[in-house]
Amino acid sequence: MKKIFKIIIILTAVIVIALIALYSYIRSNRDEIHTKIVTSMRDKLHARVEFDKMDFSFFESFPYLSIELTKVLIADSLFTIYKTPLLSSKKLSLQTNFWSILTLSIDIKKIVIEQSSLQIYTCSNGYSNKYILDNLSKKDSTAITKKKSKSKAEFNIEQIRLTDVMISIKDSIKAKAFGFNFQSVICKLNQTATETNAYVEGTIFIEGLAFNQLKGTYLNRQPIFLKTHLKINSEKGFIEILPSTLNIQKAHFDLSGSISSKDKDELKLVLHNDAFLLIDAKNILTKHIYSKLEKYSFLGPMTVDAVLRTPLKGSGSDPHIEVKARAQKIPVSISGFDIDTVSFDAVFKNFTDAASIPCDENSTIVFQNFSANASGLKIKGFVKIIDLKDTKIDVDLKGAAPLQDLQNFVNENSLELKSGMFNLNLKLQANVVQLYDSISKKINGTADGELVISDGIIFNKQKDLELKNINFRLNLNPAGTHSVNLSLKAPGSDFVLTGEVEELVAFLVSQESIMTIRAKAVSNSLNFEPLLAGKPETTVAPPKKKKKLEQDVASSIDRFLTHTQINTSINVKRAYFRKFNAYNLTGNMFISNGKASLSDFNFEHAHGKIKYTASIENTNQGFNASFKSSVINLSMPEFMEAFENFNQESLTGKNIKGNISLDINASCATNSNLVVIPGSMKGNLKLNIRNGELNNFQPLVNLSKHIFKNRSLDSVRFSTINGAADLMGTEIELHKMIILSSAISLAVDGIYSFGDKTDLSIQVPLKNIKSTSPEYFSSIEKFNNYNGANIYIRGKTKDNKIAFSYDPFKKGQKKKK
């Protein structure tokens, strides 16, 4: 044991003595080593080489000897003019083996560069200092190596280590600028007679890659991790990037490519990522390019293969970029519109026209095998985006879904989609930057295809109304005029509409555009009661909050009601509402901006005919209506009953018989159920009633208490009632109306009120009273020519009834005047 210990002590002493001797030897030959290194570096690089101090280290790089240079400067021949060194380093270590130092044949194997700056530049006049690096990468031939003087050092570099080394590459001609901070990088070199293999690994902070400084910077201020294998052939000017690893933030890429400085003169990078998120593109792309993509929020991972090619010479331009992306059922949001899942194979190119430079205008994105599920609607097809500056789209999509699966598109508090099928076939070519030209009022594009609903059933919860057999087809025409067909059934109703639509696409994309619909509506039976009558109020749960999609659809419906012009001709065999029936109804309906008008309406009612024009406007409380009507020979009982006795009880269909003809021009207000609001009626009318009969009409019965006590006025037949009146709310101001009846002939004027303001003046000729025949006045002309004595009776409302009294001084007549 003691013997082994002595051996160790002796060996240690020998090593120490040897190192001391080696150190002394190196110190004594410092100047020669200095000269060899400087001379060799200058001859190798053909550059200016300076350093402030040289020192040696035995232990830091053992088993190598480290020659440490401080304040190193390597510069091109025109450094005095451009003042930009190729390398400026606080510390540069050259490592060699001990034997080469002992023989003074220095062979540098490793280089360690710390806290340094490497600047490669090309001036606008074409001058560049990168020739120094070209010289460094050249390997001397065997013949030249043999001829080298032993007074020079050799650089057979096996490893380069970079720590906190800033590399800047600027090209003023091409407007390119690249910045790298090699924080901790090791490059191992394996040189052969024909090529050099470089194995690079470490962390690099990318200051930015500007292939054209005017168009933005890629990888702007991004940390990366790189592990790569390069094959360098200096003679051919070619560097092959073998399969490598590149991490940018959380995104992991497989990297390969090449750099060719002679034949193709280009840099080519090939990237692959199996789980790429669109948000990761923000760290890679320029702000300008990413701003185009962030409108489309792809929220799931995609498989991405990207190829980037850029010339090393020539004018600066964007690199040629081709990106292939594949997605399988990932969620997407486009301008706030959420799509549940999307799948596609997409290709992006910024050099669609190979003869033009790569740029936004020369870019396309093609989505092949595109499929999506948007709130139940399953869509498949093809999407092409052209020219990212003045963007255009080319879309060919087909979609289908059971109607009930589309419930999310409508407010579930008001509509329930119960059954049926929805189909979509859409071809669209359009400019999305300016889809609608507000000056020319035109769409920059065309649409073709169809939208179909078949055998649909929709339940309207607010109206408690179920619509069945809904069949709808909208055929889109590239010319801009689209055909529409709709048929449906409801309780007591069937409805068929055919027509055409203009400005549909403009309506969908522009808030100012008005859509026009021209159509023909045909029905065998049309029941308005479920549509117009209000649903009985019941206690219901508070409505659910609308989803964003529901809000958008509801907003679109509101716009449809306010920004659509509908011009429809109508042909209905029977239309009815409560007790009202109309037959053989024809006419035209025009709807625009929340208003509706009816023109040339003709229909049969109460065994007569009605000609009708009207307009109606929606209000917060109900509707404002104005109308003009000619009533020809209608049955009075049916007419009164149909209109529910005009919301009064004094004169009803039970009291009156006969046929009425009248002309009325009036306006009124109704509630939301289209019931006339008392007091809102205004207008005038002219009427003629022939072959009529009043039965148990209380005002006449009361009148018999004052005159004709021997004549029964419970039932009075009359040949003619002819008159005119003004409508004033709940009051009718009668102009002189002459009544020629079986019991009496008289004239009435004044106010007839459905409230409590009736004030009538009744003129009864004495001749009529004395006559044995009540038909003494056989015509209105005879009545008007009568110059004899009269009895005047005044009828006023009292206790909700009309009370009559003698009016010898004709106060009623005077009040009217």
Side-chain angles (χ1 to χ4, degrees):
M1 187 70 180
K2 291 182 179 179
K3 200 172 190 179
I4 295 173
F5 184 70
K6 287 181 181 180
I7 294 172
I8 292 174
I9 292 175
I10 294 170
L11 288 175
T12 302
V14 171
I15 292 172
V16 171
I17 293 170
L19 291 175
I20 292 172
L22 179 61
Y23 181 74
S24 299
Y25 177 80
I26 293 172
R27 295 285 297 180
S28 64
N29 291 279
R30 174 190 292 272
D31 292 341
E32 186 176 351
I33 294 172
H34 180 281
T35 301
K36 283 177 179 289
I37 291 173
V38 171
T39 302
S40 298
M41 292 178 67
R42 286 173 178 171
D43 291 347
K44 179 71 174 177
L45 302 175
H46 300 288
R48 175 176 175 176
V49 179
E50 299 175 358
F51 50 87
D52 185 48
K53 181 181 178 182
M54 182 177 70
D55 210 342
F56 302 93
S57 173
F58 292 96
F59 304 105
E60 189 174 303
S61 56
F62 190 83
Y64 289 92
L65 173 70
S66 179
I67 304 172
E68 297 181 354
L69 309 179
T70 57
K71 295 185 179 180
V72 179
L73 182 142
I74 300 177
D76 58 289
S77 58
L78 298 182
F79 173 67
T80 55
I81 299 175
Y82 294 104
K83 306 296 183 182
T84 303
L86 174 72
L87 176 68
S88 175
S89 175
K90 289 185 177 181
K91 182 179 180 180
L92 189 151
S93 297
L94 306 176
Q95 297 179 7
T96 184
N97 57 50
F98 287 100
W99 180 254
S100 66
I101 291 293
L102 291 173
T103 60
L104 293 180
S105 56
I106 301 172
D107 185 6
I108 304 300
K109 296 295 185 181
K110 296 183 180 180
I111 298 177
V112 177
I113 305 175
E114 300 178 86
Q115 297 180 340
S116 304
S117 173
L118 179 67
Q119 301 180 74
I120 304 170
Y121 67 87
T122 300
C123 299
S124 58
N125 60 10
Y127 176 76
S128 175
N129 68 347
K130 66 180 181 180
Y131 73 87
I132 299 176
L133 296 179
D134 294 336
N135 293 331
L136 177 63
S137 63
K138 291 179 180 178
K139 185 171 180 64
D140 294 332
S141 66
T142 304
I144 293 175
T145 302
K146 289 181 178 179
K147 292 180 180 180
K148 276 187 176 181
S149 169
K150 291 186 178 180
S151 64
K152 295 183 181 180
E154 292 187 24
F155 287 83
N156 296 308
I157 300 170
E158 296 176 354
Q159 186 182 105
I160 300 175
R161 182 186 294 271
L162 304 176
T163 303
D164 191 18
V165 176
M166 184 67 197
I167 297 180
S168 173
I169 303 173
K170 293 184 179 180
D171 190 327
S172 299
I173 296 176
K174 305 173 187 176
K176 295 182 179 182
F178 308 122
F180 310 87
N181 185 350
F182 287 75
Q183 296 174 331
S184 179
V185 176
I186 295 177
C187 176
K188 297 180 180 180
L189 301 174
N190 180 9
Q191 299 187 14
T192 67
T194 58
E195 64 184 16
T196 299
N197 285 282
Y199 302 88
V200 182
E201 181 176 353
T203 56
I204 305 171
F205 186 84
I206 308 294
E207 295 290 345
L209 306 179
F211 296 94
N212 185 331
Q213 290 176 295
L214 297 177
K215 295 187 176 182
T217 302
Y218 295 86
L219 286 170
N220 187 37
R221 300 190 61 78
Q222 296 299 318
I224 71 169
F225 172 80
L226 177 65
K227 185 177 182 180
T228 184
H229 176 194
L230 309 177
K231 279 191 174 182
I232 305 169
N233 190 315
S234 301
E235 295 298 325
K236 294 182 179 180
F238 185 79
I239 301 175
E240 181 182 3
I241 305 172
L242 297 176
S244 310
T245 297
L246 172 65
N247 293 339
I248 304 172
Q249 297 279 19
K250 296 180 180 180
H252 170 82
F253 293 92
D254 297 327
L255 171 68
S256 61
S258 62
I259 302 173
S260 176
S261 59
K262 290 186 177 180
D263 297 335
K264 293 184 178 180
D265 179 37
E266 72 170 11
L267 164 66
K268 178 182 178 181
L269 297 178
V270 180
L271 298 167
H272 172 82
N273 188 313
D274 283 326
F276 184 75
L277 297 174
L278 185 63
I279 188 66
D280 293 332
K282 185 177 184 179
N283 303 322
I284 301 172
L285 302 175
T286 67
K287 288 183 179 180
H288 174 70
I289 295 177
Y290 184 72
S291 67
K292 305 282 187 179
L293 297 177
E294 66 179 346
K295 299 176 183 178
Y296 315 98
S297 299
F298 295 88
L299 305 178
M302 296 176 281
T303 299
V304 172
D305 290 282
V307 178
L308 180 149
R309 294 186 295 108
T310 184
L312 299 175
K313 297 179 182 178
S315 59
S317 65
D318 284 346
H320 290 70
I321 300 174
E322 180 175 3
V323 179
K324 296 180 180 179
R326 173 174 291 180
Q328 290 294 323
K329 296 183 178 180
I330 64 172
V332 173
S333 178
I334 302 175
S335 300
F337 181 82
D338 295 332
I339 302 177
D340 300 328
T341 60
V342 170
S343 301
F344 56 78
D345 292 312
V347 177
F348 165 78
K349 286 185 179 181
N350 67 346
F351 56 98
T352 306
D353 181 0
S356 302
I357 63 171
C359 57
D360 283 352
E361 297 91 323
N362 198 16
S363 299
T364 58
I365 305 176
V366 179
F367 292 88
Q368 298 278 10
N369 303 320
F370 179 87
S371 63
N373 185 343
S375 294
L377 177 61
K378 294 177 176 60
I379 301 172
K380 292 184 178 181
F382 167 87
V383 178
K384 186 176 183 180
I385 302 172
I386 307 162
D387 186 348
L388 296 186
K389 183 176 182 180
D390 188 24
T391 307
K392 305 168 186 66
I393 58 172
D394 185 352
V395 173
D396 188 350
L397 297 174
K398 291 180 174 61
L403 199 60
Q404 58 269 34
D405 288 356
L406 305 182
Q407 185 65 57
N408 284 335
F409 280 95
V410 298
N411 186 351
E412 63 182 15
N413 296 312
S414 58
L415 293 177
E416 179 185 356
L417 308 183
K418 300 185 70 173
S419 68
M421 279 298 298
F422 174 85
N423 287 276
L424 171 71
N425 185 353
L426 175 64
K427 294 180 181 179
L428 177 66
Q429 294 180 335
N431 184 315
V432 297
V433 174
Q434 192 181 22
L435 183 54
Y436 179 73
D437 189 336
S438 58
I439 297 176
S440 63
K441 308 295 183 183
K442 290 183 178 180
I443 288 292
N444 293 322
T446 60
D448 191 6
E450 62 181 7
L451 185 153
V452 179
I453 296 175
S454 54
D455 298 323
I457 299 179
I458 298 176
F459 181 68
N460 186 320
K461 296 180 180 180
Q462 294 177 339
K463 293 293 184 181
D464 195 20
L465 172 64
E466 187 172 79
L467 304 177
K468 295 183 177 181
N469 300 109
I470 301 172
N471 289 281
F472 173 81
R473 182 182 296 272
L474 173 66
N475 287 100
L476 301 173
N477 189 320
T481 299
H482 317 295
S483 64
V484 60
N485 294 271
L486 170 66
S487 64
L488 58 84
K489 291 184 179 181
S493 299
D494 60 78
F495 181 80
V496 176
L497 182 142
T498 59
E500 56 187 21
V501 182
E502 289 185 353
E503 305 298 331
L504 171 62
V505 180
F507 168 81
L508 295 175
V509 301
S510 170
Q511 293 294 318
E512 65 182 53
S513 182
I514 302 295
M515 180 169 60
T516 301
I517 300 176
R518 293 183 294 273
K520 294 180 180 180
V522 178
S523 175
N524 291 311
S525 178
L526 208 55
N527 180 11
F528 284 98
E529 184 164 357
L531 298 174
L532 302 178
K535 180 181 177 181
E537 294 186 3
T538 57
T539 302
V540 296
K544 297 179 181 179
K545 185 178 180 181
K546 291 182 179 180
K547 300 176 183 178
K548 175 68 167 61
L549 182 58
E550 283 184 12
Q551 293 172 347
D552 292 343
V553 174
S555 176
S556 298
I557 293 174
D558 290 340
R559 279 200 64 235
F560 176 82
L561 295 176
T562 58
H563 286 71
T564 303
Q565 289 184 352
I566 303 175
N567 197 339
T568 306
S569 64
I570 298 174
N571 189 330
V572 180
K573 289 186 177 181
R574 181 196 177 205
Y576 60 101
F577 176 63
R578 294 176 181 166
K579 297 180 180 181
F580 174 84
N581 283 274
Y583 299 93
N584 299 322
L585 187 152
T586 60
N588 297 303
M589 178 175 66
F590 181 76
I591 299 175
S592 178
N593 197 26
K595 299 179 182 180
S597 63
L598 307 176
S599 62
D600 298 326
F601 258 61
N602 293 272
F603 58 90
E604 298 171 5
H605 170 67
H607 302 289
K609 292 185 178 181
I610 296 179
K611 296 181 179 181
Y612 195 75
T613 61
S615 65
I616 186 169
E617 181 178 1
N618 197 0
T619 67
N620 292 331
Q621 293 76 30
F623 301 91
N624 286 331
S626 61
F627 54 93
K628 185 177 182 181
S629 178
S630 294
V631 177
I632 304 171
N633 206 31
L634 262 63
S635 168
M636 281 294 293
E638 292 184 40
F639 178 68
M640 295 297 289
E641 288 294 326
F643 287 94
E644 298 181 350
N645 299 309
F646 296 95
N647 204 28
Q648 53 86 37
E649 298 181 357
S650 298
L651 179 63
T652 71
K654 297 178 181 179
N655 301 120
I656 191 168
K657 292 182 180 179
N659 296 324
I660 182 173
S661 296
L662 64 85
D663 292 316
I664 183 170
N665 188 350
S667 64
C668 67
T670 76
N671 62 20
S672 58
N673 294 328
L674 287 181
V675 175
V676 176
I677 297 174
S680 66
M681 185 75 75
K682 294 181 181 179
N684 56 76
L685 63 83
K686 296 179 181 179
L687 84 154
N688 179 277
I689 301 177
R690 294 184 178 276
N691 303 319
E693 183 176 327
L694 283 174
N695 296 306
N696 299 313
F697 183 46
Q698 197 60 40
L700 277 182
V701 174
N702 293 339
L703 184 62
S704 66
K705 297 177 182 179
H706 300 274
I707 57 174
F708 312 118
K709 293 182 180 181
N710 296 323
R711 298 183 190 176
S712 174
L713 298 183
D714 292 342
S715 178
V716 176
R717 297 186 307 276
F718 48 85
S719 58
T720 302
I721 297 179
N722 194 21
D726 293 324
L727 307 176
M728 302 179 300
T730 58
E731 300 170 4
I732 300 176
E733 182 178 357
L734 299 175
H735 301 183
K736 186 175 182 180
M737 184 170 66
I738 299 173
I739 301 175
L740 306 178
S741 72
S742 59
I744 187 173
S745 295
L746 51 81
V748 180
D749 62 358
I751 302 296
Y752 180 83
S753 174
F754 297 118
D756 59 356
K757 296 182 180 180
T758 296
D759 191 354
L760 297 173
S761 177
I762 302 173
Q763 174 193 354
V764 182
L766 287 176
K767 185 72 174 177
N768 179 269
I769 296 174
K770 295 179 181 180
S771 174
T772 57
S773 171
E775 298 291 341
Y776 176 80
F777 297 103
S778 58
S779 68
I780 293 174
E781 183 180 4
K782 285 187 176 181
F783 191 98
N784 285 328
N785 292 331
Y786 173 71
N787 293 320
N790 295 279
I791 295 176
Y792 289 92
I793 298 173
R794 190 174 185 182
K796 296 185 66 177
T797 302
K798 184 177 181 181
D799 298 328
N800 294 322
K801 295 182 179 180
I802 298 178
F804 293 95
S805 61
Y806 290 111
D807 187 21
F809 300 104
K810 296 190 286 185
K811 292 182 179 180
Q813 291 281 326
K814 293 178 181 178
K815 183 176 181 179
K816 185 192 72 169
K817 293 179 181 179

